[in-house]
Amino acid sequence: MDTVHHLDDGTMQKWNGECHFGWVLGGRAIQDVWIRPKRSAPSTMYGTTLRIFDPGIDGWHIIWNDPLNQDHSRQIGRAEGKDIVQLGDDSRGLKTRWRFTEIAADSFHWIGEERASESDPWQITYEHFARRQNPEAR
């Protein structure tokens, strides 16, 4: 994946990275691992997400944890049209919105946004442009 970090001063940092997705807990949940940059370099992010579907809310309970940065977030995720949108709070007390957009069989665009309160506008902080390394290996 390619990652763009949007800084408060309008500049951007760019990295490469990798993400791995798979079914876990007997097919009852999806777990993914996000690594930035790729493992050949020292990590700036190394975290995992667990997504568990709850038919009672027609959505996913989502827990993110990056022990490298002592960062964590709890969210609820749902389909919104062709996108998947996750809303919650992070370890700093900020509101978070993470969106999977442009979802295809071999790629997706992930947009991370945050704000301090409901009345503040969303600010894009990160974008990930992911591509399947081997589309035939599903």
Side-chain angles (χ1 to χ4, degrees), residues 4-103:
V4 178
H5 181 195
H6 298 270
L7 300 167
D8 291 339
D9 66 4
T11 61
M12 292 182 278
Q13 294 176 316
K14 296 183 179 184
W15 295 281
N16 63 16
E18 53 188 282
C19 50
H20 306 271
F21 291 77
W23 288 99
V24 297
L25 302 176
R28 293 176 180 88
I30 298 172
Q31 183 173 14
D32 49 59
V33 176
W34 297 73
I35 304 166
R36 183 188 67 230
K38 288 185 178 181
R39 284 178 276 186
S40 60
S43 292
T44 60
M45 176 187 67
Y46 205 117
T48 187
T49 312
L50 188 63
R51 296 176 172 83
I52 303 167
F53 187 73
D54 180 346
I57 65 166
D58 193 29
W60 297 79
H61 293 281
I62 298 162
I63 301 166
W64 158 257
N65 199 302
D66 175 359
L68 179 69
N69 294 298
Q70 292 299 299
D71 184 22
H72 61 273
S73 182
R74 288 188 169 268
Q75 300 174 319
I76 299 293
R78 292 189 173 89
E80 287 189 13
K82 295 181 179 181
D83 297 343
I84 298 169
V85 179
Q86 302 175 191
L87 296 168
D89 299 296
D90 71 10
S91 53
R92 299 167 296 162
L94 296 174
K95 305 291 181 196
T96 58
R97 179 170 68 183
W98 298 350
R99 296 183 287 140
F100 287 86
T101 68
E102 303 168 41
I103 301 167

